Amino acid sequence: MIQFENIIKRFRRHQVLKGINLTIERGHRVALVGSNGAGKTTLIRCLLGEYTCEGRVRVDGMDPRRFRREVLSKVGFVPQLPPPLRMPVGQLIRFSAGLCETDPGRMTALADQLGFDADHFHSQPFVKLSGGQKQKLLIAIALGRESELLVMDEPAANLDPQARRIFFSLLAEKKERAAMLISSHRLDEVATLVNRVVEMDQGEIVLDDRVADLVELSSRLYGRIRLIQPEEAFARAISEWGFTGSESGRVWEGFVAGPDRLRFLGLLSRYAALLSGMEIVEAEEKESSVHVV
């Protein structure tokens, strides 16, 4: 599917990529991790044909510079920073759908699933949307095409927990027939989404490991959290995850997307001194019996 062979990229005298060799096949969900400046974004831009480079890049045997349209028709791309497009939302959806000959209604429907009403914002310039709205629309456009390769740079950074759960479920639908390259500077943000971790440092690959594929992307967890005493800051934070509190404010119940378990535990760790107990189990065991007392 994707081949990088001895990729070297220089900007003037500075060598950003130093002989990258990497192969990614369908079914691989790869976390591309590393600190800022490690070379992740540069490697992605070489893959998309935006940069010239030394070495050989191939997507299904095609050079992304020579066969730009053919390669991009196979790729769903979610950038870290939304482009400053002044194009209205409706026009952007039609334009994007036209590039890959897909139904714009599918992109609109996916945006709605993620919590962005594209019809309501039909005439709104893309650049005037909020960060979360832009991210939801870009994800809907990327997933709305029949792409064989998903390239995502910090894709869920601006999403609320509910939108993240939907996003993970949509990825689950594509996991067998597509390759995924998910870039992040923090492994804990993407660890449960992937089955392979590639770490970069100063333009080189320093780790390439397969990891246990134990978390189902569409899974959910049930959580019941008990506090020593009610706390307003905790209430605000956990309410954003859709959790419901008891009248006393000391017991909270709700559901968490399976791939978001590390992120949720990170939230709870900030309030560790308040916790008197917690239960986190697979949601199927609790779906029909959740109530807060």
Side-chain angles (χ1 to χ4, degrees):
M1 181 68 194
I2 303 171
Q3 290 180 305
F4 295 102
E5 298 179 5
N6 196 32
I7 301 302
I8 296 172
K9 178 61 182 176
R10 295 182 176 89
F11 292 102
R12 296 183 181 178
R13 295 183 179 180
H14 180 50
Q15 189 170 335
V16 180
L17 300 178
K18 304 172 183 178
I20 298 293
N21 289 288
L22 183 66
T23 299
I24 300 173
E25 303 291 350
R26 284 177 178 80
H28 287 192
R29 303 194 304 279
V30 179
L32 184 64
V33 299
S35 60
N36 291 331
K40 305 186 302 296
T41 299
T42 300
L43 187 65
I44 286 174
R45 289 182 174 176
C46 291
L47 171 64
L48 298 176
E50 295 179 15
Y51 286 164
T52 58
C53 59
E54 299 175 45
R56 186 171 181 265
V57 182
R58 292 292 183 269
V59 177
D60 272 358
M62 294 183 289
D63 183 332
R65 294 285 293 181
R66 291 182 56 200
F67 300 96
R68 190 86 189 279
R69 185 180 180 87
E70 291 87 346
V71 168
L72 291 182
S73 70
K74 296 174 175 287
V75 178
F77 177 52
V78 182
Q80 180 182 10
L81 298 175
L85 299 175
R86 298 193 175 277
M87 190 181 296
V89 167
Q91 184 180 345
L92 176 59
I93 291 175
R94 291 194 302 274
F95 173 76
S96 302
L99 289 177
C100 55
E101 299 180 352
T102 194
D103 179 11
R106 173 169 168 74
M107 295 179 178
T108 299
L110 287 173
D112 189 58
Q113 279 185 257
L114 289 163
F116 176 68
D117 187 346
D119 288 332
H120 178 76
F121 291 94
H122 180 82
S123 301
Q124 179 93 330
F126 176 81
V127 73
K128 291 188 177 181
L129 299 177
S130 70
Q133 290 171 335
K134 290 175 183 175
Q135 195 77 347
K136 290 173 183 178
L137 180 55
L138 291 174
I139 289 172
I141 288 173
L143 297 183
R145 54 173 59 197
E146 288 300 320
S147 50
E148 301 171 42
L149 169 62
L150 290 173
V151 180
M152 299 170 283
D153 200 345
E154 304 281 3
N158 290 315
L159 298 183
D160 56 83
Q162 174 66 9
R164 288 170 67 90
R165 184 179 69 79
I166 299 299
F167 173 53
F168 300 145
S169 295
L170 294 173
L171 288 185
E173 296 174 7
K174 289 181 171 285
K175 71 176 185 178
E176 300 298 336
R177 62 181 187 275
M180 300 183 193
L181 184 61
I182 306 174
S183 176
S184 178
H185 67 282
R186 291 180 54 184
L187 178 57
D188 62 343
E189 285 286 312
V190 295
T192 50
L193 296 177
V194 301
N195 54 23
R196 184 177 172 192
V197 176
V198 173
E199 183 178 357
M200 294 185 66
D201 184 38
Q202 298 183 26
E204 298 180 294
I205 292 176
V206 296
L207 174 73
D208 185 354
D209 263 351
R210 295 298 296 263
V211 296
D213 193 9
L214 300 177
V215 178
E216 172 56 50
L217 291 177
S218 59
S219 66
R220 291 206 301 166
L221 302 174
Y222 160 79
R224 181 181 176 90
I225 314 300
R226 297 188 302 279
L227 305 181
I228 296 171
Q229 63 185 42
E231 169 60 49
E232 185 177 342
F234 179 85
R236 287 197 302 269
I238 202 165
S239 292
E240 293 178 1
W241 287 76
F243 273 57
T244 302
S246 63
E247 290 185 11
S248 68
R250 293 176 57 186
V251 180
W252 293 81
E253 285 186 314
F255 295 95
V256 178
D260 246 351
R261 63 188 68 198
L262 287 178
R263 189 181 180 95
F264 182 68
L265 290 174
L267 166 71
L268 295 182
S269 70
R270 302 206 306 263
Y271 301 95
L274 282 171
L275 303 180
S276 66
M278 65 180 180
E279 176 189 13
I280 299 178
V281 297
E282 291 295 330
E284 288 74 11
E285 301 175 21
K286 293 285 184 177
E287 288 282 3
S288 61
S289 59
V290 172
H291 62 283
V292 180
V293 296

